[in-house]
Amino acid sequence: MEKFLYFNDDDNDVAMYPVKNLIAVTCASNTATILKFAPGSLGTGQAGSLDLVTLTHGAGGEITIMKALARAINGQRNTDDGLIVVADDVAGEYLAGFGGTVTAVDITLDA
């Protein structure tokens, strides 16, 4: 079964990506972690076709986030339907392994 990562930063700003499209997770700052997805909305073969999802979190939370994502993707703390809710600002739901460190999510298409 294919797994998907789900993000919601507003009622009409929602994204879901297959795990296989996650190409990198990087620490942008002490309080921001970026997930990079390809291909982005422009599609395969388009220059600069990357979508970014930025998780805002408490200072130093990037290691906790990276470990929790890896565990969820690899089946630990995963749901039976393949959907992994990473961050949902509207519902106030964040991946359980984040330990309350995530405070917001922002989706940027074709960054």
Side-chain angles (χ1 to χ4, degrees):
M1 171 187 325
E2 187 166 15
K3 296 179 186 177
F4 293 87
L5 301 174
Y6 171 86
F7 307 90
N8 182 356
D9 69 2
D10 200 313
D11 283 333
N12 294 308
D13 196 5
V14 180
M16 185 171 76
Y17 299 94
V19 167
K20 67 183 179 188
N21 285 17
L22 177 63
I23 61 168
V25 180
T26 60
C27 177
S29 72
N30 196 35
T31 59
T33 298
I34 298 176
L35 288 74
K36 298 177 183 180
F37 293 91
S41 300
L42 294 175
T44 303
Q46 301 297 314
S49 187
L50 285 179
D51 290 350
L52 304 179
V53 175
T54 303
L55 299 174
T56 302
H57 51 77
E62 64 276 0
I63 295 170
T64 300
I65 289 167
M66 290 178 188
K67 287 179 179 179
L69 278 171
R71 289 182 183 115
I73 289 168
N74 290 314
Q76 301 166 13
R77 299 178 187 226
N78 197 7
T79 60
D80 293 334
D81 61 5
L83 179 69
I84 302 168
V85 176
V86 177
D88 184 339
D89 283 352
V90 175
E93 181 180 352
Y94 305 96
L95 192 64
F98 287 170
T101 192
V102 173
T103 57
V105 61
D106 182 59
I107 301 163
T108 307
L109 301 178
D110 299 314

